[in-house]
Amino acid sequence: MSREIVIQPITALAFAPFGDLIDCTGAADKIINQGQCGRYHDRAGLDFGDGHAGLSLFDANPRALPLTLDMVERHPEGSQAFVPMSQHPFLVIVAPDDGGVPGTPLAFRTEPGQAVNYHRGTWHGVLTPLHAPGLFAVLDRIGVGDNLQEHWFTHPYRIVGPAS
Ligand SMILES: NC(=O)N[C@@H](O)C(=O)O
Ligand code: NI
């Protein structure tokens, strides 16, 4: 049995229970560098618990749609931010927590130039580019102990919708 999830455009409001949508919409918080740069200041709720911030690069293979979603994961010890290093949309899959297991997932497509930061403990699909290059900067917790909990669905979901 496969259950279908339709991809929707991401909005800050819809994503708010799961994380921060980071982009340059609206006026910059500050104009810097002799007026040559707008600073959209401190836009993510970063949380690294008892660890420290790590900045990594992920070079991920783009995925085709429809996508079979058979697993979501979460990081109980820290937040995780994905910043694309290309001007392509990517797929953001999250799920509410339902007593320690994920509820029905939601699938979002970002706009080019948008990044996301998953709150600590948010159920999410792994990094899912939709176009090459799947190159991302990732800011997440580096520290001791296990910071990864996976949930494999007995019945996978089928993620459908436009890739851009
Ligand atoms: N495992 C890892 O570093 N990446 C995942 O957490 C992911 O969300 O892609
Ligand atoms: Ni993750």
Side-chain angles (χ1 to χ4, degrees):
M1 176 181 77
S2 179
R3 296 166 285 184
E4 195 160 277
I5 305 283
V6 179
I7 298 170
Q8 56 185 304
I10 197 167
T11 67
L13 184 62
F15 190 61
F18 308 102
D20 311 292
L21 178 62
I22 305 157
D23 60 20
C24 293
T25 52
D29 299 296
K30 192 173 183 181
I31 301 299
I32 59 174
N33 299 352
Q34 296 77 43
Q36 300 306 306
C37 176
R39 180 173 174 136
Y40 291 75
H41 179 70
D42 195 18
R43 292 297 181 96
L46 304 180
D47 178 354
F48 305 115
D50 62 351
H52 65 271
L55 177 58
S56 306
L57 294 184
F58 282 25
D59 186 9
N61 296 325
R63 309 297 302 279
L65 296 176
L67 178 77
T68 298
L69 179 71
D70 47 19
M71 185 274 283
V72 289
E73 59 168 48
R74 64 179 174 179
H75 309 296
E77 303 304 327
S79 57
Q80 187 174 49
F82 289 96
V83 185
M85 297 175 74
S86 72
Q87 282 290 320
H88 292 303
F90 63 103
L91 192 58
V92 173
I93 296 171
V94 290
D97 184 56
D98 187 2
V101 296
T104 303
L106 297 93
F108 297 103
R109 184 185 61 258
T110 64
E111 289 296 319
Q114 291 185 321
V116 295
N117 175 57
Y118 296 124
H119 292 325
R120 180 174 181 166
T122 289
W123 290 109
H124 59 279
V126 298
L127 177 60
T128 310
L130 294 171
H131 304 273
L135 188 60
F136 289 71
V138 180
L139 190 59
D140 59 5
R141 174 193 179 268
I142 308 296
V144 298
D146 189 11
N147 188 27
L148 175 63
Q149 181 184 357
E150 295 181 344
H151 177 90
W152 292 83
F153 295 113
T154 308
H155 303 292
Y157 290 88
R158 187 167 179 265
I159 311 295
V160 300
S164 60

